[in-house]
Amino acid sequence: MEAVRQAVVEHGPASAREIEARIEAPERPGKDNWGWNWSHTKSALEWLFWSGEISSAGRNDAFERRYDLPERVLPAAVAAEPTPDLAQASRMLVARAARALGITTTDWAAEYFRIPKPAAQQAIAELVEAGELLPVQVPGWRQPSWLWHEARIPRRMDAQALVCPFDPLLFDRARLKQVFGTDYRIEIYVPAAKRRHGYYVYPFLLGQSVAARVDLKADRQARILRVQSAWIEPGHPRTEAEVSRALADELAAMASWLGLDAVQVRPVGDLAGSLQTAVAGR
């Protein structure tokens, strides 16, 4: 552990592979796990990162985390701030979660930054006492709920966005189902034969709810954004044609910022036919 930390001191920012090459007797990861085969060096780096002794200086072109000392990563003013105690940190994190969510429950506040539920409960009580969280009742919800005191309450939302599988909206799938009525599962790690919607599936947020989901692949060699499958979300208030036209616009925007020339839709999924028409008609 100390050898790994010292290598970060001397050579950071650097990836786990680069750090491993700098210490004595580099150890290669095994092949016993089909997912993450971490070496002892990588495990040590992640422990040091988790404990706050080192920090992340971004990622390299291979999407590997680059490790460095916190004082070389954080702005000087931030690094100079005193470290909050557990109660202060929990209160700050719950406040940030509530501000991001607008309305929250104890479970959602705890899940947002993965803090213990008792700590979230205590933080909520303190934020309520400070007037930063306001107790509210939501029709159909059984659990106690709180509104962030500065949350705006618009008459309606006109959102339109493809949501990455790792977007914060999808982190808490219990919340996603309760608020949006969407039952979502990341199927990247599901065997192909057992996948329901596809490999890398983006929900499509339209208005105030999830309207569809599409399995997307950027074929950079052919310069095509491929829609491997497209599915309408049951119960969405808009017609398939309306959803498809909005989705076609969003796919075209994604293809543009990815530097791709076209969008192609495979005939897989109950929205595929309508989406093919909408893409062809742009």
Side-chain angles (χ1 to χ4, degrees), residues 125-159:
E126 294 173 5
L127 290 168
V128 169
E129 185 175 354
E132 296 185 56
L133 281 178
L134 310 175
V136 293
Q137 290 185 335
V138 180
W141 292 9
R142 294 182 178 180
Q143 67 270 54
S145 307
W146 295 271
L147 182 73
W148 180 246
H149 69 291
E150 294 178 334
R152 292 181 301 147
I153 308 177
R155 293 180 63 87
R156 66 174 186 170
M157 296 289 290
D158 289 318

Side-chain angles (χ1 to χ4, degrees), residues 85-281:
D85 61 28
L86 181 59
Q88 290 173 318
S90 298
R91 188 164 58 251
M92 292 166 66
L93 292 174
V94 167
R96 291 186 182 189
R99 184 167 62 242
L101 297 171
I103 189 169
T104 189
T105 67
T106 302
D107 288 342
W108 302 348
E111 178 66 16
Y112 200 85
F113 284 110
R114 307 291 171 84
I115 67 174
K117 189 173 178 179
Q121 290 172 323
Q122 179 61 35
I124 287 173
E126 294 173 5
L127 290 168
V128 169
E129 185 175 354
E132 296 185 56
L133 281 178
L134 310 175
V136 293
Q137 290 185 335
V138 180
W141 292 9
R142 294 182 178 180
Q143 67 270 54
S145 307
W146 295 271
L147 182 73
W148 180 246
H149 69 291
E150 294 178 334
R152 292 181 301 147
I153 308 177
R155 293 180 63 87
R156 66 174 186 170
M157 296 289 290
D158 289 318
Q160 181 171 309
L162 285 162
V163 184
C164 167
F166 298 101
D167 188 274
L169 180 67
L170 307 183
F171 280 177
D172 188 342
R173 292 195 285 276
R175 174 181 176 270
L176 179 69
K177 187 170 184 178
Q178 182 165 343
V179 176
F180 292 94
T182 300
D183 190 3
Y184 182 79
R185 182 184 187 189
I186 296 176
E187 297 185 272
I188 295 171
Y189 311 111
V190 175
K194 295 184 178 181
R195 291 178 195 141
R196 182 180 174 190
H197 293 104
Y199 176 73
Y200 207 83
V201 177
Y202 283 68
F204 177 51
L205 189 64
L206 182 62
Q208 300 186 101
S209 59
V210 175
R213 55 183 92 189
V214 284
D215 182 14
L216 300 180
K217 179 179 181 179
D219 186 341
R220 298 185 184 276
Q221 186 172 359
R223 302 183 64 84
I224 293 171
L225 178 61
R226 300 193 184 278
V227 182
Q228 307 285 68
S229 64
W231 311 86
I232 193 73
E233 202 68 16
H236 193 271
R238 305 197 193 185
T239 66
E240 286 191 12
E242 290 174 320
V243 171
S244 294
R245 286 193 294 269
L247 180 52
D249 290 342
E250 206 63 30
L251 290 167
M254 176 181 275
S256 176
W257 58 255
L258 284 173
L260 306 176
D261 298 331
V263 176
Q264 287 188 2
V265 183
R266 291 183 61 206
V268 179
D270 55 11
L271 189 64
S274 178
L275 184 58
Q276 284 177 327
T277 300
V279 168

Side-chain angles (χ1 to χ4, degrees), residues 70-71 73-84 96:
E71 56 267 32
V73 173
L74 298 172
V78 175
E81 285 287 321
T83 301
R96 291 186 182 189

